[in-house]
């Protein structure tokens, strides 16, 4: 079969070479966008008089017929036509004959594929923003129900200070808010049309790039044709933003995995998001959380893969750029599915509030409370820190905790300690009193939750 670009060539390539060079196995995912781009392009060609009214109508009719077949699943893509562009053009030729060849007037596959990817990512990023927002709603609603649920706060995975569970959840709310903002900000760099940049230098035909951009819903056009066909920054930015978000999801999943272990028992994931063992009947494994944690690696890899492809490419188009798509498609699928699963896991998990709170009562996470208590009585904090450290050491040797030390012993250490020390050492008191702006105090967490609810009530947030 003669290639659509084959006029320059005498020989025929072998099938295995065609298979290696073809991208149709994956870039068929751009079929919808490719047809939309062609519809806008032919309309522009008619608008500028480059094609006759009849030619324009014939091509539009043919493209709409191909679009209908695509929607109905009636198109069979072939490796012989190597990519989505040549496949669609072949289908169009089958519909309307030789006039189909006039569709490619004033454009190249270089600006065509770039246009397809801009359209694709515009849709994906908007869908991602919606799913992030849905997950943020789940987080804040769960937090609203657990403002006064107490859990250990950790540093170095060691009990540090007791905190509100809602406060912990709202930390992830903040991360997801920043993730959403990054995707929103990236849209202005995705929402640019390269159509009409042609191969690299523009075209001699009197095209109207602003017209076709408007037809496709783009808010701007590339001002430099070389940049328009060679730019993949918008994909890198998508992969980067996705990587940061997946890192956040992975951190959260790591905690969920710990929390539902026998050692913690803070939460229980529903059966929907768990699996069993083929040999151990008792097992309930947090596989969905583990998969998201694992899939973060493939998203990171897609980012580094494209960075590596691009780092040595001269302007303008190079066949290496065929490697820009599979990682983009994979990342898009991965993040959209991960967000949906995360929202479901958090919305439906069982939270063992009693176990969470009890885990703060037999530890030394109230040590800072004692140091703050002494500092509040006028003792320099460094001196208070040293005294409390020695008391903790003494307790560990005796197998007791700070709240178990008799008042008389406390007063032998320093007369600043009075009977109210035991209330100060209580986990609930410790959390309640940390009322600094952005702190874990119940009043501050309630303000944060209410602020988040107000944010989410705004359809643009």
């Amino acid at each position: 079969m003669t290639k659509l670009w084959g006029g320059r060539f005498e020989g025929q390539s072998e099938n295995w070479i065609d298979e290696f060079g073809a991208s149709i196995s994956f870039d068929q995912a751009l079929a919808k966008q490719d047809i939309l781009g062609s519809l806008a392009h032919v309309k522009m060609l008619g608008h500028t008089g480059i094609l006759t009214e009849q030619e324009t109508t014939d091509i539009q009719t043919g493209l709409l017929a191909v679009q209908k077949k695509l929607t109905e699943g009636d198109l069979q893509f072939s490796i012989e036509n190597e990519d989505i562009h040549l496949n669609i053009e072949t289908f169009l030729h089958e519909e309307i004959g030789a006039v189909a060849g006039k569709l490619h007037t004033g454009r190249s596959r270089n600006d065509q594929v770039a246009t397809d990817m801009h359209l694709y990512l515009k849709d994906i990023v908007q869908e991602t923003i919606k799913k992030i927002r849905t997950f943020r709603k789940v987080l804040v609603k769960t937090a609203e129900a657990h403002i006064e649920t107490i859990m250990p706060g950790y540093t170095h995975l060691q009990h540090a200070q007791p905190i509100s569970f809602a406060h912990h959840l709202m930390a992830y709310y903040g991360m997801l808010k920043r993730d959403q903002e990054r995707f929103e900000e990236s849209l202005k760099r995705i929402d640019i049309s390269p159509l009409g940049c042609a191969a690299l230098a523009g075209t001699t035909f009197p095209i109207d790039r602003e017209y076709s951009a408007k037809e496709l819903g783009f808010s701007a056009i590339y001002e430099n044709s070389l940049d328009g066909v060679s730019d993949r920054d918008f994909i890198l930015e998508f992969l980067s933003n996705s990587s940061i978000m997946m890192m956040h999801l992975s951190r959260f999943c790591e905690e969920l995995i710990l929390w539902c272990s026998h050692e913690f028992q803070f939460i229980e994931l529903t059966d929907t998001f768990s699996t069993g063992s083929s040999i151990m009947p008792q097992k309930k494994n947090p596989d969905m959380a583990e998969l998201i944690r694992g899939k973060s690696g493939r998203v990171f890899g897609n980012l580094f893969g494209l960075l590596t492809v691009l780092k040595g490419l001269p302007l303008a188009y190079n066949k290496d750029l065929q490697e820009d798509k599979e990682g983009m498609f994979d990342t898009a699928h991965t993040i959209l599915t991960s967000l949906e699963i995360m929202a479901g896991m958090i919305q439906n998990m069982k939270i063992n509030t009693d176990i969470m709170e009890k885990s703060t009562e037999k530890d030394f996470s109230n040590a800072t409370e004692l140091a703050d208590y002494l500092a509040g009585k006028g003792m320099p904090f460094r001196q208070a820190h040293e005294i409390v450290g020695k008391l903790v050491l003494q307790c560990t040797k005796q197998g007791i905790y700070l709240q178990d030390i008799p008042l008389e012993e406390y007063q032998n250490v320093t007369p600043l300690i009075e009977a109210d020390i035991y209330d100060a050492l209580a986990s609930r008191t410790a959390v309640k009193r940390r009322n600094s702006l952005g702190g874990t105090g119940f009043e501050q967490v309630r303000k944060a939750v209410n602020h988040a609810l107000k944010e989410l009530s705004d359809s643009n947030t």
Side-chain angles (χ1 to χ4, degrees), residues 232-273:
R232 296 298 183 270
D233 293 356
F234 67 104
I235 302 178
L236 285 174
E237 189 172 5
F238 167 71
L239 296 175
S240 175
N241 293 341
S242 298
S243 295
I244 294 171
M245 186 187 73
M246 285 299 292
M247 176 269 293
H248 291 153
L249 299 187
S250 183
R251 293 181 74 178
F252 200 176
C253 285
E254 171 69 9
E255 294 188 319
L256 294 174
I257 292 162
L258 288 171
W259 291 347
C260 67
S261 68
H262 182 75
E263 288 72 18
F264 281 77
Q265 297 184 52
F266 287 179
I267 65 166
E268 183 179 345
L269 299 177
T270 61
D271 293 353
T272 302
F273 301 100

Side-chain angles (χ1 to χ4, degrees), residues 203-246:
T203 176
T204 58
F205 290 95
I207 62 173
D208 187 336
R209 292 187 59 210
E210 287 86 358
Y211 182 93
S212 57
K214 185 177 179 181
E215 283 295 310
L216 289 169
F218 287 118
S219 61
I221 63 170
Y222 278 90
E223 296 178 359
N224 182 288
S225 59
L226 280 169
D227 186 33
V229 297
S230 61
D231 173 35
R232 296 298 183 270
D233 293 356
F234 67 104
I235 302 178
L236 285 174
E237 189 172 5
F238 167 71
L239 296 175
S240 175
N241 293 341
S242 298
S243 295
I244 294 171
M245 186 187 73
M246 285 299 292

